[in-house]
Amino acid sequence: MTVLPKSVEKVIEEFAKLPGVGPKSAARMVYHFLRSPYKEASKLADMLKLMDEQVKFCKECFNLADSEVCAICDSPVRDKQKVCVVEESLDVVAFEKSGVYNGTYFVLGGVISPAEGVGAEELRFKELKVRVKSIEGNVEIIVATNPSLEGEATSNYIQDMFKREIKEGRVIITRLAMGLPTGADLEYADQLTLKRALEGRVKV
Amino acid sequence: MTVLPKSVEKVIEEFAKLPGVGPKSAARMVYHFLRSPYKEASKLADMLKLMDEQVKFCKECFNLADSEVCAICDSPVRDKQKVCVVEESLDVVAFEKSGVYNGTYFVLGGVISPAEGVGAEELRFKELKVRVKSIEGNVEIIVATNPSLEGEATSNYIQDMFKREIKEGRVIITRLAMGLPTGADLEYADQLTLKRALEGRVKV
């Protein structure tokens, strides 16, 4: 016997579509709303609507923004000759939290992944080309895709895209260093990480 | 530097309030909406609104319902002499999925928990009294609170509440059996479970 009202079941189904959420935890979350004496569900609903209405993508870097151009692209103190290419906006948040980067970003929207049906045309490569073209002087493109096979393929694609500019010396492309993360245990490091750490060893 | 639009941050904060969701997974969930080409956030918003508007509590058992009286209380085939007292609606779902129970329910709304500031007045004890009074003939109250200290205390409270009716023989109170769950490993069973399993042993 189905005992849940239809409207509740629908919301549970919707929550279960979120990344990392199974049907059981989705039900727990929705029950949290139903238990609450205040109309928490409606409150969240209003916030979601507002988000959908207000959130824009920066027309320069495609990061999430409140306005046409995001605060980073708009900032006079950020180094415009550096463009850090990331997969998604969350990666920008990670960089900004660390405070180690003073350049600008470009959000690609994902990585090339034939397995998941994501081809180059799904990503913002054309927009990246336009963006780099619009920058005066030399440009360093820092490819900060995740250290995965897909990230690697995407990095190669970008390198290919700027072949001519690289030859002309107008563009250089760099990648984030790969190696052991801080606090890692050699014993548990995977083969590829060890290989990269060895290849990239530095003189002390 | 805060890089997220305010509206996005607010939704992330709201998601992080849900049970079992930390700030990182909340961000992942919200980004899922922002990545989606369809207005998924607005879709969920509409569903949440609908849920808040449509969901009622059954006036007999306080389970979630589409109408004044839930499908279980309304059903002519359910045994009205049995009232299974559970903490929350999710417990009703668990029973109904198992298909092992043919009586009715009563959703208490939680358990007595001084540690979490939940006293008897926060729960639906008065309503339970009214409900049991309204049933003609003898009533079995099956206390199906969770096997925790709080569940135990709540069970004792119910027993106290119906002292007179129990003496009169109009009400009997039972509890779910405690013991080893199917597939359990004796080796890993906790002390209390073993104690209960031993106390409740049955002749074969």
Side-chain angles (χ1 to χ4, degrees), chain A residues 168-183:
Chain A
E168 294 168 359
R170 203 179 89 76
V171 165
I172 66 164
I173 295 190
T174 56
R175 288 217 59 185
L176 292 185
M178 297 220 239
L180 296 166
T182 321

Side-chain angles (χ1 to χ4, degrees), chain B residues 57-105:
Chain B
F57 292 96
C58 169
K59 63 175 186 169
E60 305 218 334
C61 73
F62 296 91
N63 190 12
L64 299 173
D66 280 315
S67 45
E68 289 276 286
V69 176
C70 78
I72 296 172
C73 287
D74 206 35
S75 162
V77 299
R78 307 291 297 225
D79 183 350
K80 298 287 191 303
Q81 312 308 123
K82 284 188 198 141
V83 178
C84 181
V85 177
V86 294
E87 295 181 19
E88 48 171 333
S89 296
L90 269 188
D91 301 326
V92 175
V93 176
F95 268 108
E96 289 301 300
K97 266 193 189 155
S98 73
V100 294
Y101 180 65
N102 74 333
T104 62
Y105 296 92

Side-chain angles (χ1 to χ4, degrees), chain B residues 127-199:
Chain B
E127 290 87 342
L128 176 60
K129 193 98 190 186
V130 172
R131 168 74 186 282
V132 171
K133 221 173 211 168
S134 76
I135 300 171
E136 280 178 53
N138 294 339
V139 178
E140 177 181 357
I141 299 175
I142 302 163
V143 180
T145 47
N146 283 326
S148 60
L149 277 178
E150 290 83 5
E152 206 79 13
T154 308
S155 169
N156 292 339
Y157 191 92
I158 295 174
Q159 199 133 16
D160 242 42
M161 240 170 70
F162 290 102
K163 230 186 299 179
R164 218 188 54 212
E165 289 87 344
I166 294 169
K167 239 187 215 158
E168 295 169 359
R170 203 180 88 77
V171 165
I172 65 165
I173 296 191
T174 57
R175 287 217 59 185
L176 291 186
M178 299 223 236
L180 296 165
T182 320
D185 199 325
L186 255 188
E187 197 179 334
Y188 299 114
D190 65 286
Q191 209 182 353
L192 192 61
T193 301
L194 270 187
K195 184 168 172 273
R196 291 282 156 75
L198 197 64
E199 286 169 355

Side-chain angles (χ1 to χ4, degrees), chain A residues 132-151:
Chain A
V132 170
K133 221 173 212 168
S134 75
I135 300 170
E136 279 177 54
N138 293 341
V139 179
E140 176 181 358
I141 299 174
I142 302 163
V143 180
T145 48
N146 283 326
S148 61
L149 277 179
E150 290 83 4

Side-chain angles (χ1 to χ4, degrees), chain A residues 13-104:
Chain A
E13 272 170 33
E14 210 55 30
F15 268 85
K17 287 183 195 164
L18 296 175
V21 181
K24 283 235 170 175
S25 42
R28 282 249 144 250
M29 289 176 196
V30 176
Y31 270 73
H32 164 86
F33 292 124
L34 295 168
R35 247 198 307 258
S36 121
Y38 322 102
K39 296 243 161 194
E40 292 273 348
S42 291
K43 199 175 138 203
L44 179 60
D46 291 337
M47 286 178 175
L48 284 166
K49 283 269 184 197
L50 200 73
M51 183 175 81
D52 251 9
E53 281 162 27
Q54 293 193 339
V55 162
K56 295 176 180 69
F57 292 96
C58 170
K59 63 174 185 171
E60 305 218 334
C61 74
F62 296 91
N63 190 13
L64 299 173
D66 280 315
S67 44
E68 288 277 286
V69 175
C70 78
I72 295 172
C73 286
D74 206 34
S75 162
V77 299
R78 307 292 296 225
D79 183 351
K80 299 286 192 299
Q81 312 308 124
K82 284 188 199 142
V83 179
C84 181
V85 177
V86 294
E87 295 180 21
E88 48 171 333
S89 297
L90 269 188
D91 301 326
V92 175
V93 177
F95 267 108
E96 288 302 300
K97 266 193 187 154
S98 74
V100 293
Y101 180 63
N102 74 334
T104 61

Side-chain angles (χ1 to χ4, degrees), chain A residues 18-21 25 29 90 97, chain B residues 8-31:
Chain A
L18 296 175
V21 181
S25 42
M29 289 176 196
L90 269 188
K97 266 193 187 154
Chain B
V8 178
E9 265 184 3
K10 271 191 187 162
V11 177
I12 293 179
E13 272 169 33
E14 210 56 30
F15 268 86
K17 287 182 194 165
L18 295 175
V21 181
K24 282 235 170 175
S25 43
R28 282 251 144 249
M29 288 174 197
V30 176
Y31 270 73

